[in-house]
Amino acid sequence: NAGVMQNPRHLVRRRGQEARLRCSPMKGHSHVYWYRQLPEEGLKFMVYLQKENIIDESGMPKERFSAEFPKEGPSILRIQQVVRGDSAAYFCASSPSMTDNQPQHFGDGTRLSIL
Amino acid sequence: SQKIEQNSEALNIQEGKTATLTCNYTNYSPAYLQWYRQDPGRGPVFLLLIRENEKEKRKERLKVTFDTTLKQSLFHITASQPADSATYLCALVGGSQGNLIFGKGTKLSVKP
């Protein structure tokens, strides 16, 4: 399966802990996007990365959230000191280039639950 | 600010009928509009992309229209089947960097 792989599929954390979400893009894709989907809400853009670079993080909260896409390995979305409001489904998408006529290929998400 | 609205949260139709879903946008002049399907517990799956100079695009039983004057796209599924039951999302590129702005989606239920 050469699709976008996200893990873990489900993650449970207690308030104050750290959450690390991983995303491996499709083979040959060097552009990664992270989105958050809250219950009863639409998908909201968080951050856009290329290999080793953050291109646009305008949708990501300034505090506690960070993202990286190293030269080797998956993209990581990191949430420090989680709070109840961080409970959501986090989706990663990839594309081969940055043009607005390219569809994005999504993984099946990580469902984060904060106790 | 840019806004996308899918004005039906849910749509129930009978098998064999045509489903029509609506997507309206404001404060935006997109060159492209995309439609995705999302099943429960899964990520969105790309269906169709339509350009601003295309009035209509078809793929099997799917048809999308794009009216830049009305700022509206319509998504049609003809001869609908229970397997078409899912949430359908429209999306526009939000900025110069390619991130997508999504509508909240319309949940389609096709009854046998």
Side-chain angles (χ1 to χ4, degrees):
Chain A
N1 184 350
V4 177
M5 301 300 293
Q6 289 189 249
N7 66 79
R9 288 295 311 278
H10 301 273
L11 182 60
V12 179
R13 285 286 178 266
R14 295 188 180 279
R15 281 179 294 170
Q17 291 184 321
E18 178 180 288
R20 280 188 180 235
L21 288 60
R22 286 177 290 277
C23 169
S24 296
M26 283 185 70
K27 191 173 182 180
H29 288 194
S30 59
H31 299 250
V32 166
Y33 303 82
W34 285 93
Y35 295 84
R36 178 164 64 175
Q37 189 171 39
L38 292 165
E40 309 304 321
E41 294 287 327
L43 284 153
K44 302 289 186 196
F45 166 75
M46 298 181 73
V47 62
Y48 163 41
L49 310 105
Q50 290 181 36
K51 283 284 187 183
E52 300 185 274
N53 288 304
I54 296 174
I55 307 301
D56 180 358
E57 54 184 348
S58 61
M60 197 160 67
K62 296 278 188 285
E63 296 179 357
R64 301 189 298 108
F65 285 74
S66 62
E68 62 178 14
F69 190 14
K71 187 176 180 181
E72 302 290 338
S75 175
I76 306 285
L77 179 67
R78 184 181 176 207
I79 310 173
Q80 294 178 291
Q81 299 175 330
V82 295
V83 301
R84 288 247 169 89
D86 296 332
S87 295
Y90 292 83
F91 291 94
C92 164
S94 72
S95 68
S97 65
M98 192 289 291
T99 58
D100 53 3
N101 65 345
Q102 288 279 347
Q104 292 184 9
H105 300 265
F106 284 80
D108 282 333
T110 293
R111 275 141 192 88
L112 176 63
S113 298
I114 309 301
L115 301 180
Chain B
S1 62
Q2 297 162 341
K3 201 172 177 182
I4 299 177
E5 288 186 345
Q6 295 184 248
N7 57 3
S8 295
E9 283 191 14
L11 180 64
N12 299 311
I13 63 168
Q14 206 65 33
E15 182 176 7
K17 302 291 187 186
T18 295
T20 298
L21 286 64
T22 305
C23 176
N24 296 290
Y25 57 92
T26 55
N27 298 325
Y28 196 60
S29 296
Y32 305 91
L33 186 145
Q34 303 182 23
W35 283 88
Y36 289 77
R37 168 182 171 144
Q38 187 173 23
D39 290 283
R42 306 298 299 273
V45 174
F46 172 75
L47 295 175
L48 281 168
L49 178 149
I50 186 166
R51 294 170 171 75
E52 62 177 342
N53 60 354
E54 293 178 314
K55 291 285 189 272
E56 178 180 300
K57 193 136 183 203
R58 293 175 184 262
K59 179 183 174 183
E60 298 173 354
R61 295 184 295 110
L62 308 181
K63 183 178 87 171
V64 172
T65 63
F66 193 9
D67 188 325
T68 55
T69 302
L70 292 178
K71 294 186 180 291
Q72 181 180 80
S73 174
L74 298 179
F75 178 83
H76 306 270
I77 306 175
T78 57
S80 59
Q81 303 166 0
D84 295 325
S85 298
T87 296
Y88 292 85
L89 310 169
C90 71
L92 299 168
V93 173
S96 60
Q97 309 297 350
N99 56 284
L100 293 173
I101 298 177
F102 283 89
K104 286 187 179 181
T106 296
K107 185 175 180 179
L108 174 67
S109 296
V110 181
K111 304 295 183 190

